[in-house]
Amino acid sequence: TGDQLRLYAFADPGWAPVTEEPLTQAGGFDRVTLTSLRDTPVVAWRASDGALYLAMLADGAWKSLGSLPDVDDYAITAQGGTLHLAYVTGGYSQAGYATITGSGISRQGFCASGRMFGSPKAAVTGQGQVYLAFRDVTNNNDLLIYQAQDGGFSRLASPGSASSYNLAAGSSGLMAVLGGDTPVLKQLDGDSWTELTRLDQTAHEPRLAFGTDTTFLLAAPNGASAKDLRVYQQKDGTFTPVGDRVDKGGDGAALT
């Protein structure tokens, strides 16, 4: 609320704050992300000064993990005791990568620069392979995929072009879903992408998540936060609806 952000935990009989003191930020919070380091809550947010801040819950209080200046957009994924951050900076002109541990933020360098980048994504396989993705807005939203290794970045084949997409890693490897008129799920197979499944309706801002040997898709015709939000399960080469539609609009829908 305003300049305060409070984390709640659910337990019988309901929700209760986990700290006595909330996080505070002059000018308020923007693009808040909740994740964790080995089951310890971590919150990231953009502030009115354009910087990205992170804080970790430690001994019942919030501990700062530091900040990165001038972050236009970002995405975080967790793997073990490390958070992997894909971000865009410099007026959307640089695509970067950083890691976060309980000790703070470590910049790992820039994958690309000199163009306009958007929609950063990060995904980590169970084997610890780190993948980063960005939209190349300058080049018709071509998706740029990089693997971070040996202190550098290897550019991989592109799964295609899309104004909205999602990247995720599961037991079967790296997958990307491209939104649009005919949303398509693709899997990285060596040096190229293999098409797995298409959805027979328009869907924007798709989200991917994995169960045990199962791939799930969250999508709606007018965006992942719109009404008619639905979950699909990939099965026998098709997307099968799971459960009822979520007939309520919102903001920042996510699937886990």
Side-chain angles (χ1 to χ4, degrees), residues 37-38 79-83 100-102:
L37 280 171
R38 298 194 186 282
Q79 206 264 348
T82 303
L83 297 177
I100 302 117
T101 66

Side-chain angles (χ1 to χ4, degrees), residues 179-183 199-205 219-223 228 232:
D181 294 337
T182 55
L199 188 64
D200 59 357
Q201 67 174 33
T202 300
H204 300 288
E205 302 176 33
N222 298 312
D228 294 331
Y232 300 86

Side-chain angles (χ1 to χ4, degrees), residues 29-126:
F29 296 80
D30 181 41
R31 302 186 191 181
V32 177
T33 298
L34 173 64
T35 183
S36 65
L37 280 171
R38 298 194 186 282
D39 296 329
T40 300
V42 174
V43 176
W45 69 93
R46 285 184 72 250
S48 57
D49 61 3
L52 178 70
Y53 293 86
L54 293 107
M56 179 176 68
L57 191 64
D59 298 324
W62 291 108
K63 168 193 171 184
S64 173
L65 292 177
S67 64
L68 281 177
D70 188 27
V71 174
D72 301 304
D73 199 0
Y74 76 98
I76 291 178
T77 190
Q79 206 264 348
T82 303
L83 297 177
H84 300 271
L85 171 71
Y87 68 101
V88 176
T89 185
Y92 296 92
S93 66
Q94 292 181 300
Y97 169 54
T99 55
I100 302 117
T101 66
S103 300
I105 304 172
S106 298
R107 300 191 197 199
Q108 303 297 325
F110 293 105
C111 309
S113 60
R115 306 178 72 84
M116 179 173 280
F117 305 101
S119 305
K121 310 288 183 188
V124 186
T125 67

